[in-house]
Amino acid sequence: MTKHIPLFVLLIVYVIVGALYAVRTPAWQAPDEPAHYNYAAQVAANGCCPVIEMGDWDSAYLDTLKAERFAPDLLDRLPTIQYEDHQPPLYYLLSGLVYRLTDGSLIALRLLSVLISAGIVACAYAITLALLPDRRALALAAALLAGFIPQNLAIMASVNNDALAGLIVGLTLYLLIRYLQGARVPVWALGVAVGVGLLTKVNTIFLAGLVPLFVLLHWWFTPDRRFSELIRRLALFAVPALILGGLWWLRNVGVYGFPDVFGLRRHDQVVVGQLRTAELIAQVGFSEYLRRAVDTTFTSFFGQFGWMGLFMPTWAYWIVLAFLGVVVVGWIVAYLGLRTEVKGLSEKTSSSTQAERKPQSVLSPQSSVLSPSFLSWALLALATILAVLQYLYYNTEFVQFQGRYLYPALIPLALFAALGVDGWRRVLAWLIGDRSALAWLTPLIAALFIPLSLFMIWRVIPQLAP
């Protein structure tokens, strides 16, 4: 365990910085926080689960609240903001319990999100080590990037179900990678993970297609490829996933009618006045729409606080752009080195498995191109692509240029970024001829996001106060 002490230290630092965000962010100054809070309050008072209804969304009142920065004299109708009542219930069952124990403390509910989101940081570390077991410094860098983006901290330290959804995505990806590598991960456990995700947030639904796809690929490239075995594996996955997700879907059909299994159609009917994509394109044209989409997605992924009304200082975005430039150029170098490492890891996994005489748990030796390591990297790449497609799909109806909607792909993105930074470390290590001397350069560079996040919560975000 001593070799993981840096991770434990990092998690402590993350919880401390996250707690600062929870305490210092003015009340309700996080996207949709009043509606998520009111969902928890309803569960605490009446049990599960509330129903989204007409009147739960008051566009004029919300606009006034945001314009006046949630001034105390305007909060008399705050409990009527309930437009998140269509959300799956798991997070709110947890937060409802905290609500009851703390008499509805907003800070306590925010701290719950912080504690949950610490698991995302740990998952980034674990996934990196699963892929590259000897690269603890790189794993630490990925964990840093997954945890300390200022906007991510602002979201994870607020009342919403994003933290729990992100944790479930991270755990599912880790379990699936270990499954592909031949570890004793039962297929039903993958189904349970996906089902729990469906009970947490709709944006985890890409896992319902991603997991069985890679279970299929794993089966296809095993030496003992029997069709009955594939059916057994898919059934073991599908049964718990469908039972857990299906319970919620059947409830929604009973409440909102078929085929509104997610409650999204009722949500769309309720949120009258929310800007639609077609309306904005008609107003400003398609090219201006794309410019706004790209610009706002970038700024809000890294730092656009409150209800998208408070930007980071300009110099902070330039720092982020410089960092991304380092990452992109470093990818080229990282890729050249990664090919060698992945090949070595594949050979190590293959030889180890053959020694244990468990050929059914690994891919066929003749299928070196589709090795466990290759499939694991492909898994992370496809998870990223699906998360982006979900984001684009959501924006086909509503104008929601919020970078946080890409956070289901935060762990893969953090790892890919860490590899880009590490490419530069490899060049420097080669130049000085001492690889071990620069082993911790990559996490040190990633750790620059910690002071950036501290600056935002100490000097910028408190400006949201009325």
Side-chain angles (χ1 to χ4, degrees), residues 207-451:
L207 296 172
L210 191 69
V211 173
L213 171 62
F214 280 86
V215 169
L216 170 63
L217 290 173
H218 180 269
W219 167 84
W220 182 260
F221 292 100
T222 52
D224 187 16
R225 191 172 69 230
R226 292 174 298 173
F227 186 70
S228 60
E229 176 62 17
L230 173 64
I231 298 301
R232 186 185 73 86
R233 295 184 189 184
L234 292 179
L236 286 173
F237 163 78
V239 169
L242 289 176
I243 288 176
L244 291 172
L247 290 174
W248 181 245
W249 299 339
L250 288 173
R251 178 265 184 187
N252 285 340
V253 170
V255 173
Y256 304 122
F258 185 81
D260 196 6
V261 295
F262 302 118
L264 294 177
R265 291 193 177 187
R266 177 65 62 85
H267 170 268
D268 294 349
Q269 296 169 359
V270 169
V271 292
V272 178
Q274 187 171 347
L275 183 60
R276 311 274 171 151
T277 299
E279 296 173 2
L280 181 60
I281 293 176
Q283 294 172 10
V284 302
F286 188 68
S287 60
E288 174 63 15
Y289 168 83
L290 287 179
R291 187 198 67 79
R292 293 187 185 184
V294 172
D295 182 66
T296 307
T297 299
F298 167 74
T299 57
S300 62
F301 186 93
F302 291 98
Q304 189 170 337
F305 307 114
W307 292 63
M308 302 283 287
L310 180 64
F311 292 85
M312 295 194 299
T314 302
W315 56 262
Y317 294 112
W318 282 111
I319 289 176
V320 170
L321 283 171
F323 174 79
L324 294 178
V326 168
V327 167
V328 171
V329 176
W331 274 342
I332 300 172
V333 179
Y335 172 73
L336 297 177
L338 183 62
R339 289 176 59 190
T340 302
E341 293 186 42
V342 168
K343 181 179 179 182
L345 183 59
S346 301
E347 294 173 352
K348 180 180 178 181
T349 302
S350 178
S351 62
S352 174
T353 307
Q354 290 176 4
E356 296 175 2
R357 297 183 179 180
K358 294 179 180 178
Q360 72 277 11
S361 65
V362 294
L363 302 184
S364 171
Q366 290 78 21
S367 304
S368 59
V369 175
L370 286 172
S371 66
S373 294
F374 179 89
L375 284 178
S376 298
W377 287 103
L379 166 66
L380 295 184
L382 185 55
T384 303
I385 292 170
L386 292 176
V388 172
L389 290 176
Q390 282 189 162
Y391 176 71
L392 295 176
Y393 176 76
Y394 189 29
N395 275 277
T396 60
E397 183 170 4
F398 293 101
V399 178
Q400 289 290 345
F401 307 143
Q402 297 188 49
R404 66 189 178 99
Y405 292 143
L406 294 172
Y407 287 170
L410 186 61
I411 291 176
L413 290 173
L415 175 52
F416 296 148
L419 284 170
V421 175
D422 197 62
W424 290 94
R425 180 199 61 78
R426 294 186 187 188
V427 171
L428 293 174
W430 176 77
L431 289 174
I432 66 175
D434 187 357
R435 180 176 180 179
S436 61
L438 298 175
W440 295 97
L441 178 61
T442 302
L444 284 175
I445 293 175
L448 294 175
F449 277 96
I450 296 179

